[in-house]
Amino acid sequence: MSRHDPVAIAQSLIRCQSVTPHDDGALDYLASVLKRAGFSVHRMTFSAPDTPDVDNLYARIGTEGPNLCFAGHTDVVPAGDEQAWDAPPFAAELRGETLFGRGAVDMKGAIACFVAASLDHLSANNGAPLHGSISLLITGDEEGPSINGTVKVLDWLAERGETLDACIVGEPTNPKALGDEIKIGRRGSLSGKLVVHGRQGHVAYPHLADNPVPKLARMINRLSDAHLDEGTEHFAPSNLEVCVIGAASRATNVIPAHAYAEFNIRYNTNWTRDTIESRLAQLCRDAADDVGAQYDLSFSGTGDVFLTEPGPFVASVRDAVHDVTGRIPELTTGGGTSDARFIQAHCPVLEFGLVNATIHAINEHTTVGDLMTLRDVYRRILDKGVM
């Protein structure tokens, strides 16, 4: 049985300094590997006003369904203080059985594992997929604005009439050991900005001014204390966190003209984007009436809540993880956001990748053993089929 090495592939990817939005050859390398294996490879660069151009890749082998897509990103966050690393962040050094490098976990390592698994699977089946088609959707925009990446590749696929039947995103999902968790959904993420208006004046003459700061404090206290829900079978309770507070003036002898707070809420399937906005708007109206505040409230969001209901696809991936690791992974929905929030509108999607303890950290690293195991999990999924 052919055994392609995910470590060597991961090292080649890590050595590309693809800090968002720069590609630095990462997608060129993937394209060359996939073309040699028989994939049809499409490269595309998307643009939008006031955002950087982003390189993307879509590759597919096979013409029949089901089309199992592996989605991921080759862009990475900055290395930070490179002198603080035990090994240079873009050297992809092996120290014993540990591979160091920015992107080793998030998520060039997982991309390497899927490529190696696909090559193993194809080698064992005379160069063709055993079940339908295999595809990869790889962006350089996940760690950035997420405007010119996965969303636009999905639009491009739809225009071509090409469908995805199931998708695995290789985000690092495991808190302690490979096989701990599969993410079958994500909470929605909604940000808000509350601006309370007052009238500027001297602190010695408060009767000539209107201080917005105490009013803002009472309003954000109302938001913070609001009980939103009890959670669901698959989701924790929704939570709102106030993250930024500021005022128009920083002088201690000036009552400011306005004060503002910025907050983020992570919400579950008890809500939609529209209903959670309506609830927060009502809380603000009630609080403003109580304190006599004039205010503006605005919202922005990066993705609605979604859940891939447990069924044949989830069961197939869960069985493959158990077969290879001996663990029965928990089905979870916690953590931040990923490009799965876009893919879920097109097909069932879940996330399974490496151990996430060092993502975005100094000395990001994974182990040779975990890379080999993840390759074998992905290979098992391909051999079994997902639908």
Side-chain angles (χ1 to χ4, degrees):
M1 179 186 297
S2 176
R3 306 285 282 180
H4 290 84
D5 182 11
V7 178
I9 299 171
Q11 287 179 299
S12 295
L13 290 172
I14 292 167
R15 287 170 183 147
C16 299
Q17 297 188 37
S18 53
V19 177
T20 308
H22 304 292
D23 175 63
D24 197 39
L27 294 181
D28 289 339
Y29 169 74
L30 280 179
S32 66
V33 172
L34 295 169
K35 284 179 180 178
R36 287 197 301 270
F39 282 78
S40 297
V41 177
H42 303 272
R43 296 288 301 277
M44 57 208 80
T45 301
F46 293 117
S47 305
D50 302 318
T51 62
D53 294 351
V54 173
D55 294 324
N56 302 277
L57 177 148
Y58 177 75
R60 178 171 175 169
I61 189 165
T63 58
E64 303 296 324
N67 179 10
L68 172 63
C69 180
F70 177 84
H73 61 93
T74 49
D75 63 316
V76 298
V77 299
D81 181 4
E82 297 192 14
Q83 300 304 312
W85 285 68
D86 292 342
F90 296 104
E93 284 190 15
L94 273 173
R95 300 280 181 94
E97 292 295 300
T98 301
L99 174 63
F100 286 86
R102 177 59 82 225
V105 177
D106 188 14
M107 56 167 287
K108 292 177 176 181
I111 292 172
C113 291
F114 195 82
V115 171
S118 297
L119 299 181
D120 285 354
H121 176 82
L122 295 170
S123 295
N125 294 286
N126 299 314
L130 184 61
H131 307 281
S133 300
I134 303 169
S135 60
L136 287 86
L137 191 168
I138 309 296
T139 183
D141 192 33
E142 199 272 349
E143 301 289 7
S146 299
I147 292 173
N148 294 319
T150 296
V151 173
K152 292 188 176 178
V153 178
L154 291 167
D155 290 342
W156 177 85
L157 289 171
E159 291 171 1
R160 288 166 51 90
E162 188 160 345
T163 59
L164 308 179
D165 294 291
C167 182
I168 299 170
V169 180
E171 288 288 346
T173 56
N174 297 284
K176 293 182 179 179
L178 201 68
D180 281 346
E181 295 185 10
I182 296 171
K183 292 196 183 296
I184 60 170
R186 293 280 189 165
R187 294 177 295 173
S189 176
L190 179 66
S191 293
K193 184 172 183 178
L194 173 63
V195 181
V196 176
H197 303 287
R199 186 170 64 253
Q200 184 173 319
H202 196 292
V203 297
Y205 305 98
H207 59 287
L208 299 177
D210 181 12
N211 194 339
V213 176
K215 297 176 183 180
L216 174 70
R218 293 184 179 95
M219 291 181 71
I220 61 175
N221 187 62
R222 180 79 64 91
L223 289 174
S224 296
D225 285 349
H227 178 75
L228 297 171
D229 57 63
E230 299 289 347
T232 71
E233 178 185 359
H234 295 292
F235 287 90
S238 301
N239 68 290
L240 183 149
E241 302 297 332
V242 177
C243 304
V244 177
I245 297 176
S249 172
R250 297 182 63 85
T252 59
N253 62 347
V254 176
I255 293 171
H258 64 264
Y260 65 90
E262 297 179 35
F263 57 88
N264 182 268
I265 183 169
R266 298 300 167 101
Y267 59 95
N268 58 41
T269 48
N270 284 306
W271 307 91
T272 65
R273 169 72 180 267
D274 288 341
T275 60
I276 195 65
E277 283 191 14
S278 295
R279 173 64 170 146
L280 296 174
Q282 184 62 57
L283 287 169
C284 285
R285 283 194 296 271
D286 293 345
D289 288 345
D290 289 346
V291 298
Q294 298 295 318
Y295 71 96
D296 291 315
L297 177 66
S298 59
F299 294 107
S300 61
T302 57
D304 207 350
V305 60
F306 76 92
L307 176 69
T308 297
E309 293 284 355
F313 172 44
V314 174
S316 179
V317 174
R318 198 179 199 188
D319 288 347
V321 173
H322 178 249
D323 291 346
V324 174
T325 69
R327 296 182 177 87
I328 300 175
E330 184 180 358
L331 304 179
T332 67
T333 58
T337 59
S338 79
D339 278 359
R341 68 191 190 273
F342 307 126
I343 299 167
Q344 58 89 20
H346 295 257
C347 69
V349 58
L350 55 76
E351 300 171 55
F352 184 73
L354 291 163
V355 175
N356 59 26
T358 62
I359 56 173
H360 294 196
I362 299 295
N363 287 330
E364 181 178 351
H365 64 272
T366 187
T367 66
V368 170
D370 277 357
L371 289 168
M372 299 298 184
T373 300
L374 185 59
R375 174 203 59 192
D376 292 346
V377 170
Y378 291 155
R379 168 71 189 277
R380 182 71 173 156
I381 294 167
L382 292 171
D383 290 349
K384 285 163 58 76
V386 296
M387 308 299 283

